[in-house]
Amino acid sequence: MSQIVNKQIPKRRSWSTRRDAKAKRLSKVERMTSGKVIATENIVHVLEELLVSGDRVVLEGNNQKQASFLSQSLNGINPQKVNNLHMIMSSISRPEHLDIFEKGIANKVDFSFAGPQSLRMAQMLEDGQLTMGEIHTYVELYGRLFIDLTPSVALVAADKADENGNLYTGANTEETPTLVEAAAFRDGIVIAQVNELTDDLPRVDIPGSWIDFVVVADKPYQLEPLFTRDPRHITELQILMAMMTIRGVYERHQVESLNHGIGFNTAAIELLLPTYGESLGLRGKICKHWALNPHPTLIPAIESGWVDSVHSFGGEVGMEDYIAARPDVFFTGRDGSMRSNRTLCQLAGQYAVDLFVGSTLQMDRDGNSSTVTSGRLAGFGGAPNMGHDPGGRRHSSPAWLNMMTANDPMARGKKLVVQMVETFQAGNQPVFVDSLDAIKVREDASLATTPVMIYGEDVTHVVTEEGIAYLYKTDSIEERREAIASIAGVTPIGLTSNAKAKNKLREKGLLALPEDLEIKRTDAKRSMLAAKSVEELVDWSDNLYQPPAKFRSW
């Protein structure tokens, strides 16, 4: 006889609790706002009413663009009214980003990068003044905003807005759309600081229906010229390394699409393309498509016809007029201003480019590297996104296919991940070490995993002033260690190599010295640079590039 199962009808429940909670919060500030507009002087009081202790708050602040007015306003709220916020920040860059933890306004943080505040961050963590969530890559942090780190409140920055909340983000769109979308479509509250309120927007980058409030800041949002490098400071050692990289990596593997990180090493490469690269007959063959901010040092290569396209994470101060005049190269709107997008450019850098060039503060004998060192919790930014071989890639390119080392029918290509470092960093500290400081940082900070920036298994090449180690061709961990040691100079790891071992590696094609690449060390002179100063970059740009005052030396 079959049993009769009693089915209980679940009790009715509300499916709009988040929406209802948001409506309740918004009603509390109706008397303080005029439609969607918050008066500048009212922002702190509005935040005190809208925020609830324990809220998850995403604050815009990547490594260039900062919602500085909103971060200062957040720092001004009364911790007796609002406290223990869980902050989500791409970059911990400003003093008030950590002041809010000292005051008790916030107590937990998930972030990607903390370069300018890395020393203070490490000390506060040691002193128990904040609780660490995780150190993320940019794409990882953005992804979690749509899964388990959905914000209750998003505080972002834009250039202009109208009274309906439509935003114009200009050349520095950066991460704004991603942060807004994560909050707006999960019933979070979105507040945008703007430089100007106007009825005439050049274009609408984010629709007003996604925005709850706009507030005119007391001064324009902070914007750093992070990617500007003065050619005067490029050394002959960096020029030598750049020549080796062009000849021994870019030419050898037919690299057509790439990302350059921040630094003088990559600036040297950019400035050698119209001179050294031209002498090798490489124009039109390499370095055509770029995922990077509009580096001023790329201007000579653009003007010389090397560059087909540039998609950017963000803008660069002073490059606005130049970009507007070169729409064939940059992604621009009809108004002429660039449309950058940090999330999409990170994905392009992860999946669409042939090569990533990065640098590091420490590398161990296996090729693992990190910028997290003793007493310095810097984080990674986007380097791990672009500095690894994405298993999901399926499209091929000459460079990607060139990484195949077997005839197996299931063999696949690989992204080129190049670490370009001098063997010693500032203060005569060796870059190549037996053990990463990050291991001790993990113990001291009680992190779940060691904060490695790029894992050795992903690194295909290491370039130093000594030569190039072709790690992708090694067939054992021992051989990999030997290749790294061979270009590690007079560091403790480098001293484990000798002439006999190096010659053996050269014969197997695992090591290339400058002479193997037909490069004379004495040829690495500053005279090879297409521009030797910022002033010459301005000349190359037809006076369209307007560098910040601190880079003007004429």
Side-chain angles (χ1 to χ4, degrees), residues 252-253 405 460 470-476 479 508-510:
R252 178 170 295 191
H253 303 299
T405 56
T460 57
Y470 294 90
L471 301 188
Y472 75 97
K473 298 176 72 173
T474 60
D475 55 18
S476 67
E479 194 168 62
K508 295 182 70 173
L510 304 180

Side-chain angles (χ1 to χ4, degrees), residues 187-203:
D187 295 309
I189 294 171
V190 180
I191 303 175
Q193 72 166 76
V194 297
N195 299 337
E196 180 185 352
L197 200 63
T198 178
D199 292 331
D200 186 22
L201 297 178
R203 67 173 189 246

Side-chain angles (χ1 to χ4, degrees), residues 168 170-171 202-203 205 320 323-324 331-339:
Y168 168 66
R203 67 173 189 246
D205 289 312
E320 296 84 1
I323 291 166
F331 285 70
T332 57
R334 291 181 181 178
D335 64 313
S337 70
M338 187 174 69
R339 168 71 176 195

Side-chain angles (χ1 to χ4, degrees), residues 420-543:
M420 193 175 178
V421 295
E422 295 177 35
T423 53
F424 284 84
Q425 55 177 297
N428 207 32
Q429 293 295 311
V431 168
F432 295 90
V433 295
D434 286 318
S435 178
L436 297 177
D437 286 358
I439 294 174
K440 187 174 187 305
V441 171
R442 173 197 175 185
E443 298 170 355
D444 294 343
S446 299
L447 301 177
T449 60
T450 299
V452 174
M453 181 175 68
I454 296 178
Y455 288 97
E457 64 194 38
D458 285 315
V459 180
T460 57
H461 302 71
V462 179
V463 182
T464 73
E465 69 273 21
E466 299 293 326
I468 303 175
Y470 294 90
L471 301 188
Y472 75 97
K473 298 176 72 173
T474 60
D475 55 18
S476 67
I477 188 62
E478 290 77 16
E479 194 168 62
R480 186 181 187 84
R481 289 174 174 173
E482 289 174 7
I484 290 174
S486 72
I487 46 85
V490 293
T491 65
I493 286 179
L495 291 174
T496 64
S497 186
N498 55 49
K500 182 178 179 180
K502 290 178 181 179
N503 285 332
K504 182 178 178 182
L505 292 169
R506 291 168 72 186
E507 291 171 3
K508 295 182 70 173
L510 304 180
L511 166 65
L513 302 180
E515 51 265 37
D516 300 325
L517 302 171
E518 299 179 347
I519 294 172
K520 295 180 181 178
R521 292 179 183 269
T522 53
D523 286 344
K525 301 293 184 183
R526 285 183 44 79
S527 58
M528 296 189 67
L529 298 176
K532 301 165 192 65
S533 67
V534 172
E535 183 179 12
E536 291 186 16
L537 291 176
V538 173
D539 291 339
W540 270 99
S541 77
D542 257 349
N543 293 311

Side-chain angles (χ1 to χ4, degrees), residues 190-481:
V190 180
I191 303 175
Q193 72 166 76
V194 297
N195 299 337
E196 180 185 352
L197 200 63
T198 178
D199 292 331
D200 186 22
L201 297 178
R203 67 173 189 246
V204 174
D205 289 312
I206 299 175
S209 57
W210 298 15
I211 307 298
D212 294 295
F213 298 108
V214 296
V215 56
V216 178
D218 56 3
K219 63 181 71 171
Y221 57 75
Q222 178 189 348
L223 189 62
E224 290 296 319
L226 187 70
F227 292 87
T228 298
R229 290 293 179 271
D230 189 335
R232 292 182 306 163
H233 302 305
I234 294 175
T235 67
E236 292 183 351
L237 202 62
Q238 290 160 345
I239 293 169
L240 173 65
M241 292 168 60
M243 293 172 69
M244 288 192 288
T245 303
I246 291 172
R247 192 75 200 266
V249 181
Y250 293 7
E251 179 184 20
R252 178 170 295 191
H253 303 299
Q254 305 171 65
V255 174
E256 296 183 356
S257 58
L258 67 163
N259 164 266
H260 273 184
I262 306 170
F264 287 102
N265 288 330
T266 48
I269 295 174
E270 292 157 16
L271 290 170
L272 286 179
L273 291 177
T275 56
Y276 180 62
E278 194 74 31
S279 73
L280 298 174
L282 296 178
R283 179 157 50 94
K285 299 177 181 178
I286 65 169
C287 301
K288 296 190 292 185
H289 304 289
W290 301 72
L292 83 173
N293 281 57
H295 295 187
T297 45
L298 199 60
I299 291 173
I302 293 172
E303 296 300 305
S304 301
W306 279 76
V307 179
D308 287 352
S309 68
V310 177
H311 186 260
S312 300
F313 310 97
E316 188 68 0
V317 180
M319 285 287 284
E320 296 84 1
D321 291 344
Y322 180 75
I323 291 166
R326 302 292 184 268
D328 280 353
V329 173
F330 296 95
F331 285 70
T332 57
R334 291 181 181 178
D335 64 313
S337 70
M338 187 174 69
R339 168 71 176 195
S340 62
N341 189 303
R342 185 164 293 275
T343 306
L344 295 182
C345 200
Q346 286 287 338
L347 288 173
Q350 182 168 337
Y351 279 99
V353 303
D354 294 331
L355 172 145
F356 162 79
V357 177
S359 192
T360 187
L361 295 178
Q362 287 188 335
M363 177 179 288
D364 68 17
R365 60 179 66 250
D366 294 330
N368 301 306
S369 64
S370 186
T371 51
V372 174
T373 57
S374 277
R376 181 176 176 176
L377 204 61
F380 316 121
N385 293 133
M386 293 173 286
H388 84 286
D389 181 49
R393 175 167 171 167
R394 291 295 181 272
H395 76 280
S396 61
S397 65
W400 189 77
L401 293 172
N402 202 244
M403 291 296 99
M404 294 171 61
T405 56
N407 293 321
D408 187 329
M410 295 301 288
R412 58 184 297 276
K414 192 172 185 178
K415 178 198 281 184
L416 283 76
V417 176
V418 182
Q419 289 282 49
M420 193 175 178
V421 295
E422 295 177 35
T423 53
F424 284 84
Q425 55 177 297
N428 207 32
Q429 293 295 311
V431 168
F432 295 90
V433 295
D434 286 318
S435 178
L436 297 177
D437 286 358
I439 294 174
K440 187 174 187 305
V441 171
R442 173 197 175 185
E443 298 170 355
D444 294 343
S446 299
L447 301 177
T449 60
T450 299
V452 174
M453 181 175 68
I454 296 178
Y455 288 97
E457 64 194 38
D458 285 315
V459 180
T460 57
H461 302 71
V462 179
V463 182
T464 73
E465 69 273 21
E466 299 293 326
I468 303 175
Y470 294 90
L471 301 188
Y472 75 97
K473 298 176 72 173
T474 60
D475 55 18
S476 67
I477 188 62
E478 290 77 16
E479 194 168 62
R480 186 181 187 84
R481 289 174 174 173

